[in-house]
Amino acid sequence: MKLEETLNIPLKTVDREIENMVKYDRDVPRSSQLAKAIIELIRSGGKRIRPLMVIVGSRFGPDPDEKKVWRLAAAAEFIHAASLIHDDIIDDSPMRRGQKAMHIKLGVSGALHVGNYMSARVIELISVYSAEQEKFVYDLSSLATTKLCLGEYQQLAHLFDYDVTIDEYLEKSKNKTAQLMATCLQIGAKAAGTDTETAELLYRFGEKLGMSFQIRDDVLDFTQSAEKLGKPAGSDLRSGQVTLPVLFALQDETLAPAIRAISADSPAEEVDAVVAAIQASGALEQTEALSRQYLAEAQDIIHRLSHYPAHRDLQALLEYFSGREK
Amino acid sequence: MNPKLIEDAYRLLQGELSPETGIIVDLPYPEAAPLATLLEQYDMPQVRQCRLLSIYIAIKLALQRHSECSSLAPGETLTRKVLDGDYLYSFYVELCLKWEEFNLLGHLAPIIKQLQIKRAQGHPEDERLLKAWERFLQLDNNRSTASQAM
């Protein structure tokens, strides 16, 4: 069963709400290139993990403000999609969800400002509709993307830096990936009037899922086929990203010199050999083990929330993230 | 125009930015001057003048960084410009929240969005930003005058 079916959240409704963000913007004519580009991006697919997390979070509160919850769910996807558009510019990725990336379709400037529009639209909607000041401040500060940017800066600062520590790597992953996921659960919970302790537990649960997700992503870069990845295995290392499998492999003294020799100018064959050596080492298993540890900690949080019927939804999320979707 | 106000606002913004970003507040002074002149016409504490000007500078810097992207090839320079703009657009929101300038945020949010729409269409109308500030300062002044009269 698909995640959205297990959670009983119709993805069509989620998508409609996301599309409404632009359709009901009086400043954007429906026939404009901007509106078309965004609708096309939304319709190109996506798992909508973040909106689903907002809605799941709201199931922990006594008084879900349905309209607000759905709006926040759509906002979370807008923030995520905007960051993907900008990521593709930075990485010069030509494709996104099987289609040409936005900057290939509209040029760098066009794509940049489509992404900016999406982020600015979220801020506008929250500022306009949030009557209660306390909630307004909370919603806006939660969805602010400064942390996400800091994660990107941290990644940039450590390109080909083999002395980066595991703690620094985890901090970067938290900022870049886990924080938004954690926020999604918490913001949904708060919109439903959840108590502070539960909202905090949901944040920690989301953070652990996000960390596990990012770590698995780093493993997949080494284990999935080039065909499935759409790029050669070990692409992160080729572009200078020293991810967790590389950090664990660096602890092997026989492997470390070859890894440390990799730079932006290294020929593909040299990188191929190092990637193969990392694949053959125990580094991927060590990385997987840490990913599982985060999931185990997330499982503990589910147990603490087991008096809520919605704890089953957390279980569904956890199983989805651990790749054991039923 | 009081150059000290501009200098103080630059210093304030630089101090607020995370050092990890590596952003240098290097907006040319003439870009900040029109709002500085405008702010001096209103009766408000110096600290607020300085905060408002630093928020304006953050937005101007975001606009500047992203307008420089179209001519750049993929690489670190482009990456930094994209990230700087993204960070600053988010940071101005954080500054408004931190300094409790909620009315300003509500006033600016649709304007910033409209600037993006115009830029996405290839017809930038960045001058709208200063006009929006002018209008905000008038409204803010009317509000405070009305509340004093009550």
Short mmCIF file of all heavy atoms in Angstrom, two decimals, chain B residues 33-81:
data_model
loop_
_atom_site.label_atom_id
_atom_site.label_comp_id
_atom_site.label_asym_id
_atom_site.label_seq_id
_atom_site.Cartn_x
_atom_site.Cartn_y
_atom_site.Cartn_z
N ALA B 33 20.99 55.09 0.69
CA ALA B 33 20.77 56.50 1.04
C ALA B 33 19.30 56.96 0.95
O ALA B 33 18.83 57.66 1.86
CB ALA B 33 21.67 57.39 0.19
N PRO B 34 18.55 56.59 -0.10
CA PRO B 34 17.18 57.10 -0.18
C PRO B 34 16.32 56.74 1.04
O PRO B 34 15.58 57.58 1.54
CB PRO B 34 16.62 56.44 -1.46
CG PRO B 34 17.82 56.12 -2.27
CD PRO B 34 18.90 55.80 -1.30
N LEU B 35 16.46 55.50 1.53
CA LEU B 35 15.65 55.14 2.70
C LEU B 35 16.18 55.83 3.95
O LEU B 35 15.40 56.26 4.81
CB LEU B 35 15.58 53.62 2.93
CG LEU B 35 14.59 53.29 4.05
CD1 LEU B 35 13.14 53.52 3.62
CD2 LEU B 35 14.74 51.88 4.57
N ALA B 36 17.51 55.98 4.04
CA ALA B 36 18.08 56.67 5.20
C ALA B 36 17.53 58.09 5.28
O ALA B 36 17.12 58.56 6.36
CB ALA B 36 19.61 56.68 5.09
N THR B 37 17.48 58.77 4.15
CA THR B 37 16.95 60.14 4.10
C THR B 37 15.48 60.15 4.54
O THR B 37 15.06 61.00 5.31
CB THR B 37 17.07 60.69 2.65
OG1 THR B 37 18.43 60.56 2.26
CG2 THR B 37 16.63 62.13 2.56
N LEU B 38 14.76 59.17 4.04
CA LEU B 38 13.33 59.08 4.36
C LEU B 38 13.12 58.83 5.86
O LEU B 38 12.28 59.49 6.50
CB LEU B 38 12.76 57.90 3.56
CG LEU B 38 11.30 57.91 3.17
CD1 LEU B 38 10.93 59.16 2.40
CD2 LEU B 38 11.01 56.68 2.30
N LEU B 39 13.90 57.94 6.41
CA LEU B 39 13.75 57.59 7.83
C LEU B 39 13.98 58.79 8.74
O LEU B 39 13.34 58.93 9.77
CB LEU B 39 14.73 56.46 8.20
CG LEU B 39 14.35 55.06 7.73
CD1 LEU B 39 15.54 54.10 7.85
CD2 LEU B 39 13.17 54.52 8.54
N GLU B 40 14.91 59.65 8.31
CA GLU B 40 15.24 60.81 9.14
C GLU B 40 14.10 61.82 9.20
O GLU B 40 14.09 62.69 10.06
CB GLU B 40 16.52 61.47 8.62
CG GLU B 40 17.75 60.68 9.04
CD GLU B 40 19.01 61.12 8.32
OE1 GLU B 40 18.92 61.92 7.37
OE2 GLU B 40 20.08 60.67 8.71
N GLN B 41 13.15 61.67 8.28
CA GLN B 41 12.02 62.61 8.30
C GLN B 41 10.97 62.22 9.33
O GLN B 41 10.03 62.95 9.57
CB GLN B 41 11.37 62.66 6.91
CG GLN B 41 12.28 63.28 5.85
CD GLN B 41 11.76 63.02 4.44
OE1 GLN B 41 10.61 62.67 4.25
NE2 GLN B 41 12.63 63.20 3.45
N TYR B 42 11.11 61.04 9.88
CA TYR B 42 10.11 60.56 10.84
C TYR B 42 10.68 60.56 12.25
O TYR B 42 11.87 60.30 12.45
CB TYR B 42 9.64 59.15 10.46
CG TYR B 42 8.81 59.15 9.20
CD1 TYR B 42 9.42 58.98 7.96
CD2 TYR B 42 7.44 59.35 9.25
CE1 TYR B 42 8.67 59.01 6.79
CE2 TYR B 42 6.69 59.39 8.09
CZ TYR B 42 7.29 59.21 6.86
OH TYR B 42 6.55 59.24 5.73
N ASP B 43 9.79 60.85 13.18
CA ASP B 43 10.19 60.90 14.56
C ASP B 43 10.14 59.49 15.14
O ASP B 43 9.06 58.97 15.44
CB ASP B 43 9.21 61.83 15.32
CG ASP B 43 9.58 61.94 16.78
OD1 ASP B 43 10.77 61.75 17.09
OD2 ASP B 43 8.68 62.17 17.60
N MET B 44 11.28 58.90 15.23
CA MET B 44 11.34 57.55 15.83
C MET B 44 12.70 57.36 16.48
O MET B 44 13.67 58.05 16.12
CB MET B 44 11.09 56.46 14.78
CG MET B 44 12.16 56.33 13.73
SD MET B 44 11.90 54.89 12.66
CE MET B 44 10.67 55.47 11.54
N PRO B 45 12.79 56.46 17.46
CA PRO B 45 14.08 56.25 18.13
C PRO B 45 15.16 55.83 17.12
O PRO B 45 14.87 55.14 16.14
CB PRO B 45 13.80 55.11 19.11
CG PRO B 45 12.32 55.04 19.24
CD PRO B 45 11.74 55.57 17.97
N GLN B 46 16.38 56.26 17.43
CA GLN B 46 17.51 55.96 16.52
C GLN B 46 17.70 54.48 16.29
O GLN B 46 18.01 54.03 15.20
CB GLN B 46 18.79 56.55 17.10
CG GLN B 46 19.10 57.93 16.55
CD GLN B 46 20.47 58.40 16.99
OE1 GLN B 46 21.00 57.95 18.01
NE2 GLN B 46 21.05 59.30 16.22
N VAL B 47 17.48 53.73 17.38
CA VAL B 47 17.70 52.28 17.27
C VAL B 47 16.73 51.67 16.25
O VAL B 47 17.09 50.78 15.48
CB VAL B 47 17.61 51.59 18.67
CG1 VAL B 47 16.20 51.68 19.25
CG2 VAL B 47 18.03 50.14 18.58
N ARG B 48 15.50 52.20 16.22
CA ARG B 48 14.53 51.67 15.25
C ARG B 48 14.90 52.10 13.84
O ARG B 48 14.79 51.31 12.89
CB ARG B 48 13.11 52.14 15.62
CG ARG B 48 12.07 51.53 14.68
CD ARG B 48 10.65 51.61 15.19
NE ARG B 48 9.77 50.89 14.30
CZ ARG B 48 8.72 51.44 13.67
NH1 ARG B 48 8.40 52.70 13.88
NH2 ARG B 48 7.99 50.70 12.85
N GLN B 49 15.34 53.34 13.70
CA GLN B 49 15.79 53.81 12.37
C GLN B 49 16.85 52.87 11.82
O GLN B 49 16.82 52.46 10.66
CB GLN B 49 16.41 55.21 12.49
CG GLN B 49 15.40 56.34 12.52
CD GLN B 49 16.09 57.71 12.50
OE1 GLN B 49 17.28 57.82 12.77
NE2 GLN B 49 15.33 58.73 12.18
N CYS B 50 17.79 52.54 12.70
CA CYS B 50 18.91 51.69 12.29
C CYS B 50 18.43 50.28 11.93
O CYS B 50 18.86 49.71 10.92
CB CYS B 50 19.91 51.66 13.45
SG CYS B 50 21.46 50.90 13.01
N ARG B 51 17.51 49.75 12.72
CA ARG B 51 16.99 48.41 12.44
C ARG B 51 16.24 48.38 11.11
O ARG B 51 16.43 47.46 10.30
CB ARG B 51 16.05 47.96 13.57
CG ARG B 51 16.81 47.56 14.82
CD ARG B 51 15.84 47.27 15.95
NE ARG B 51 16.55 46.76 17.11
CZ ARG B 51 15.98 46.48 18.27
NH1 ARG B 51 14.67 46.66 18.41
NH2 ARG B 51 16.69 46.02 19.27
N LEU B 52 15.38 49.39 10.92
CA LEU B 52 14.60 49.41 9.68
C LEU B 52 15.53 49.51 8.47
O LEU B 52 15.34 48.82 7.47
CB LEU B 52 13.61 50.58 9.69
CG LEU B 52 12.46 50.49 10.70
CD1 LEU B 52 11.53 51.69 10.58
CD2 LEU B 52 11.65 49.22 10.51
N LEU B 53 16.54 50.35 8.60
CA LEU B 53 17.47 50.50 7.47
C LEU B 53 18.22 49.20 7.21
O LEU B 53 18.46 48.82 6.05
CB LEU B 53 18.44 51.66 7.73
CG LEU B 53 19.35 52.04 6.56
CD1 LEU B 53 18.55 52.37 5.29
CD2 LEU B 53 20.24 53.23 6.92
N SER B 54 18.58 48.49 8.26
CA SER B 54 19.32 47.24 8.04
C SER B 54 18.43 46.18 7.39
O SER B 54 18.90 45.37 6.59
CB SER B 54 19.99 46.74 9.31
OG SER B 54 19.03 46.35 10.22
N ILE B 55 17.13 46.20 7.70
CA ILE B 55 16.20 45.26 7.03
C ILE B 55 16.14 45.60 5.54
O ILE B 55 16.19 44.71 4.67
CB ILE B 55 14.79 45.33 7.67
CG1 ILE B 55 14.83 44.75 9.10
CG2 ILE B 55 13.76 44.58 6.83
CD1 ILE B 55 13.56 44.99 9.92
N TYR B 56 16.06 46.90 5.26
CA TYR B 56 16.01 47.35 3.86
C TYR B 56 17.28 46.93 3.12
O TYR B 56 17.22 46.43 1.99
CB TYR B 56 15.85 48.87 3.85
CG TYR B 56 15.83 49.52 2.48
CD1 TYR B 56 14.71 49.43 1.65
CD2 TYR B 56 16.94 50.25 2.02
CE1 TYR B 56 14.68 50.03 0.40
CE2 TYR B 56 16.91 50.85 0.76
CZ TYR B 56 15.79 50.75 -0.04
OH TYR B 56 15.76 51.35 -1.28
N ILE B 57 18.42 47.09 3.77
CA ILE B 57 19.70 46.73 3.14
C ILE B 57 19.74 45.22 2.86
O ILE B 57 20.23 44.78 1.80
CB ILE B 57 20.89 47.18 4.02
CG1 ILE B 57 20.92 48.71 4.10
CG2 ILE B 57 22.22 46.66 3.47
CD1 ILE B 57 21.85 49.26 5.19
N ALA B 58 19.22 44.43 3.80
CA ALA B 58 19.20 42.96 3.59
C ALA B 58 18.41 42.62 2.33
O ALA B 58 18.83 41.79 1.52
CB ALA B 58 18.60 42.27 4.81
N ILE B 59 17.27 43.26 2.16
CA ILE B 59 16.43 42.97 0.98
C ILE B 59 17.13 43.46 -0.30
O ILE B 59 17.17 42.74 -1.31
CB ILE B 59 15.04 43.64 1.11
CG1 ILE B 59 14.31 43.09 2.34
CG2 ILE B 59 14.20 43.40 -0.14
CD1 ILE B 59 13.09 43.90 2.76
N LYS B 60 17.71 44.66 -0.22
CA LYS B 60 18.42 45.19 -1.40
C LYS B 60 19.58 44.28 -1.79
O LYS B 60 19.84 44.03 -2.97
CB LYS B 60 18.95 46.60 -1.10
CG LYS B 60 17.89 47.67 -0.98
CD LYS B 60 17.31 48.09 -2.31
CE LYS B 60 18.23 49.00 -3.10
NZ LYS B 60 17.58 49.47 -4.34
N LEU B 61 20.28 43.78 -0.78
CA LEU B 61 21.40 42.86 -1.05
C LEU B 61 20.91 41.57 -1.70
O LEU B 61 21.55 41.04 -2.62
CB LEU B 61 22.12 42.50 0.25
CG LEU B 61 23.35 43.30 0.67
CD1 LEU B 61 23.92 42.70 1.94
CD2 LEU B 61 24.42 43.33 -0.41
N ALA B 62 19.77 41.06 -1.21
CA ALA B 62 19.20 39.83 -1.79
C ALA B 62 18.87 40.07 -3.27
O ALA B 62 19.20 39.25 -4.13
CB ALA B 62 17.95 39.42 -1.02
N LEU B 63 18.24 41.20 -3.54
CA LEU B 63 17.90 41.53 -4.93
C LEU B 63 19.17 41.62 -5.78
O LEU B 63 19.23 41.12 -6.90
CB LEU B 63 17.16 42.88 -4.99
CG LEU B 63 15.70 42.88 -4.52
CD1 LEU B 63 15.21 44.30 -4.24
CD2 LEU B 63 14.79 42.23 -5.56
N GLN B 64 20.18 42.28 -5.20
CA GLN B 64 21.44 42.47 -5.94
C GLN B 64 22.12 41.13 -6.24
O GLN B 64 22.52 40.87 -7.37
CB GLN B 64 22.37 43.36 -5.10
CG GLN B 64 23.67 43.73 -5.76
CD GLN B 64 24.78 43.91 -4.72
OE1 GLN B 64 25.07 43.01 -3.92
NE2 GLN B 64 25.38 45.08 -4.73
N ARG B 65 22.21 40.28 -5.21
CA ARG B 65 22.91 39.00 -5.39
C ARG B 65 22.22 38.16 -6.49
O ARG B 65 22.88 37.58 -7.33
CB ARG B 65 22.93 38.18 -4.09
CG ARG B 65 23.78 38.78 -2.99
CD ARG B 65 25.27 38.74 -3.34
NE ARG B 65 26.12 38.81 -2.17
CZ ARG B 65 26.58 39.94 -1.62
NH1 ARG B 65 26.28 41.11 -2.17
NH2 ARG B 65 27.35 39.91 -0.55
N HIS B 66 20.90 38.10 -6.46
CA HIS B 66 20.20 37.27 -7.44
C HIS B 66 20.20 37.90 -8.83
O HIS B 66 20.15 37.18 -9.82
CB HIS B 66 18.77 36.96 -6.98
CG HIS B 66 18.71 35.80 -6.03
ND1 HIS B 66 17.54 35.30 -5.53
CD2 HIS B 66 19.70 35.02 -5.52
CE1 HIS B 66 17.81 34.26 -4.74
NE2 HIS B 66 19.12 34.09 -4.71
N SER B 67 20.28 39.22 -8.90
CA SER B 67 20.31 39.83 -10.25
C SER B 67 21.66 39.58 -10.93
O SER B 67 21.77 39.70 -12.14
CB SER B 67 19.99 41.32 -10.18
OG SER B 67 21.04 41.98 -9.52
N GLU B 68 22.65 39.21 -10.14
CA GLU B 68 23.98 38.96 -10.71
C GLU B 68 24.16 37.52 -11.22
O GLU B 68 25.19 37.17 -11.77
CB GLU B 68 25.07 39.26 -9.66
CG GLU B 68 25.18 40.75 -9.34
CD GLU B 68 25.99 41.02 -8.07
OE1 GLU B 68 26.36 40.05 -7.37
OE2 GLU B 68 26.24 42.20 -7.79
N CYS B 69 23.14 36.70 -11.00
CA CYS B 69 23.29 35.26 -11.29
C CYS B 69 23.21 34.91 -12.78
O CYS B 69 23.84 33.95 -13.22
CB CYS B 69 22.24 34.44 -10.54
SG CYS B 69 22.53 34.39 -8.78
N SER B 70 22.41 35.66 -13.52
CA SER B 70 22.10 35.23 -14.89
C SER B 70 23.34 35.19 -15.78
O SER B 70 23.39 34.42 -16.74
CB SER B 70 21.04 36.13 -15.50
OG SER B 70 21.47 37.46 -15.45
N SER B 71 24.35 36.00 -15.46
CA SER B 71 25.52 36.05 -16.33
C SER B 71 26.61 35.06 -15.91
O SER B 71 27.67 35.01 -16.52
CB SER B 71 26.10 37.47 -16.33
OG SER B 71 26.39 37.84 -15.00
N LEU B 72 26.34 34.29 -14.86
CA LEU B 72 27.40 33.42 -14.32
C LEU B 72 27.26 31.97 -14.79
O LEU B 72 26.14 31.45 -14.90
CB LEU B 72 27.38 33.45 -12.80
CG LEU B 72 27.71 34.81 -12.15
CD1 LEU B 72 27.38 34.77 -10.66
CD2 LEU B 72 29.18 35.16 -12.35
N ALA B 73 28.40 31.34 -15.04
CA ALA B 73 28.40 29.92 -15.38
C ALA B 73 28.32 29.13 -14.07
O ALA B 73 28.66 29.65 -13.01
CB ALA B 73 29.69 29.58 -16.12
N PRO B 74 27.86 27.85 -14.15
CA PRO B 74 27.81 27.04 -12.92
C PRO B 74 29.17 27.00 -12.24
O PRO B 74 30.20 26.92 -12.91
CB PRO B 74 27.41 25.66 -13.43
CG PRO B 74 26.72 25.90 -14.72
CD PRO B 74 27.37 27.11 -15.32
N GLY B 75 29.18 27.07 -10.95
CA GLY B 75 30.43 27.05 -10.20
C GLY B 75 30.22 27.73 -8.86
O GLY B 75 29.10 28.12 -8.52
N GLU B 76 31.33 27.89 -8.13
CA GLU B 76 31.20 28.39 -6.76
C GLU B 76 30.64 29.81 -6.69
O GLU B 76 29.87 30.13 -5.78
CB GLU B 76 32.55 28.31 -6.03
CG GLU B 76 32.37 28.62 -4.56
CD GLU B 76 33.60 28.40 -3.72
OE1 GLU B 76 34.47 27.61 -4.13
OE2 GLU B 76 33.67 29.02 -2.63
N THR B 77 31.02 30.66 -7.65
CA THR B 77 30.53 32.05 -7.60
C THR B 77 29.01 32.08 -7.74
O THR B 77 28.32 32.76 -6.98
CB THR B 77 31.20 32.90 -8.71
OG1 THR B 77 32.60 32.71 -8.62
CG2 THR B 77 30.87 34.36 -8.55
N LEU B 78 28.50 31.33 -8.72
CA LEU B 78 27.05 31.27 -8.91
C LEU B 78 26.38 30.68 -7.66
O LEU B 78 25.38 31.22 -7.16
CB LEU B 78 26.69 30.42 -10.14
CG LEU B 78 25.20 30.18 -10.38
CD1 LEU B 78 24.45 31.48 -10.66
CD2 LEU B 78 24.96 29.19 -11.52
N THR B 79 26.95 29.60 -7.15
CA THR B 79 26.38 28.96 -5.97
C THR B 79 26.26 29.95 -4.81
O THR B 79 25.22 30.06 -4.16
CB THR B 79 27.26 27.76 -5.53
OG1 THR B 79 27.28 26.83 -6.60
CG2 THR B 79 26.72 27.09 -4.29
N ARG B 80 27.34 30.70 -4.57
CA ARG B 80 27.32 31.66 -3.46
C ARG B 80 26.29 32.76 -3.68
O ARG B 80 25.61 33.16 -2.74
CB ARG B 80 28.71 32.29 -3.26
CG ARG B 80 29.67 31.36 -2.61
CD ARG B 80 30.65 32.04 -1.67
NE ARG B 80 31.47 31.02 -1.02
CZ ARG B 80 31.18 30.49 0.16
NH1 ARG B 80 30.14 30.89 0.84
NH2 ARG B 80 31.96 29.55 0.68
N LYS B 81 26.17 33.23 -4.91
CA LYS B 81 25.19 34.31 -5.18
C LYS B 81 23.76 33.79 -4.95
O LYS B 81 22.93 34.50 -4.39
CB LYS B 81 25.31 34.80 -6.63
CG LYS B 81 26.67 35.38 -6.99
CD LYS B 81 26.71 36.87 -6.84
CE LYS B 81 28.06 37.40 -7.32
NZ LYS B 81 28.42 38.66 -6.68
#
